[in-house]
Amino acid sequence: MKDSRRSYRAPSSHSVEVLVRGDCHKGCMENVSLNGALLHLDDLSPLAVGEACVLQLQVDEAPLPPLRIDCEVVHGCECLVGVKFLGSAEEAERRLPSLIKLMSDPRQGGDEYLERIRGYLADFCGAR
């Protein structure tokens, strides 16, 4: 199987909610990129490929509102769901700092960290 991903995927363990058809599915983000995410949901209700949903997660400390990203399901298998982020270039630019925060590893520092951030930005700018 060919891997057609264009962006680096960073491991993550953030709690998420997926809002679809009036239901809220809770789970955990397995990994995230500038273009999408892989989610592990707590329940066994797979979402249909092509289905629209909203990914909601708390990036900053409450009481700031959660980050909400319109998505489309691109893969679904039992509890694992792959989503791609939707929206305009303006929306992508607005959510870029939050996604980089999700992708940052606080244990990593120095030049390696800066190179990683440069890579994220190169992926983002190259995707236009």
Side-chain angles (χ1 to χ4, degrees), residues 86-122:
L86 302 176
S88 66
E90 293 81 21
E91 289 175 282
E93 285 182 28
R94 181 180 45 77
R95 71 177 174 248
L96 181 62
S98 295
L99 290 175
I100 288 178
K101 186 181 288 187
L102 285 174
M103 297 166 85
S104 299
D105 182 350
R107 298 167 296 184
Q108 188 175 339
D111 292 337
E112 186 178 341
Y113 179 74
L114 289 175
E115 284 303 312
R116 191 168 158 193
I117 294 299
R118 284 186 187 110
Y120 299 153
L121 292 173

Side-chain angles (χ1 to χ4, degrees), residues 10 13 15 24-25 40-41 46 53 55 64 72 74 80 88 96 98-99 105 107 109 120:
S13 60
S15 296
C24 177
H25 301 273
H40 184 269
L41 301 180
C53 60
L55 176 63
L64 293 175
E72 179 183 323
V74 293
L80 284 178
S88 66
L96 181 62
S98 295
L99 290 175
D105 182 350
R107 298 167 296 184
Y120 299 153

Side-chain angles (χ1 to χ4, degrees), residues 24-92:
C24 177
H25 301 273
K26 294 181 184 249
C28 175
M29 184 180 293
E30 294 287 325
N31 64 50
V32 61
S33 75
L34 296 176
N35 300 314
L38 179 64
L39 313 172
H40 184 269
L41 301 180
D42 294 342
D43 56 25
L44 284 173
S45 49
L47 306 177
V49 171
E51 191 162 27
C53 60
V54 175
L55 176 63
Q56 182 170 279
L57 61 149
Q58 192 71 42
V59 177
D60 296 306
E61 297 296 319
L64 293 175
L67 177 64
R68 293 174 57 100
I69 303 174
D70 291 326
C71 299
E72 179 183 323
V73 175
V74 293
H75 171 75
C77 178
E78 295 183 2
C79 293
L80 284 178
V81 176
V83 296
K84 74 175 178 179
F85 301 148
L86 302 176
S88 66
E90 293 81 21
E91 289 175 282

